[in-house]
Amino acid sequence: MSDETPICSAKGCRADAVWVLAWNNPKIHTPERRKTWLACEEHREHLSQFLGVRGMLKDTVPLADWEAPEG
């Protein structure tokens, strides 16, 4: 793992990220494309709702699981 700890994507937040929110904008992305935002515990629900009401949230996964190597 790198020396840099992933941080939350919420504006102004510098907390460690613990969630990955996978999303895409169907108006501009192909269906299989996934963009990601990172979220701390405090901002996970807010960021999920922001993407969800726009129909863009595809998955929410713990960061540890997202980074885990297969096999």
Side-chain angles (χ1 to χ4, degrees):
M1 187 164 189
S2 73
D3 292 339
E4 292 187 31
T5 302
I7 60 166
C8 181
S9 297
K11 185 175 182 177
C13 185
R14 305 305 295 166
D16 291 352
V18 292
W19 295 97
V20 175
L21 297 115
W23 62 277
N24 85 358
N25 182 340
K27 293 180 181 179
I28 60 174
H29 299 131
T30 58
E32 66 278 355
R33 173 93 187 265
R34 291 295 179 267
K35 307 265 301 169
T36 57
W37 280 355
L38 302 177
C40 64
E41 284 293 345
E42 181 181 350
H43 291 112
R44 182 183 67 88
E45 186 174 337
H46 172 74
L47 293 173
S48 294
Q49 287 178 353
F50 179 90
L51 292 168
V53 298
R54 291 160 177 79
M56 298 190 310
L57 183 63
K58 302 302 178 191
D59 204 4
T60 302
V61 181
L63 180 61
D65 293 347
W66 185 267
E67 293 181 333
E70 292 186 16

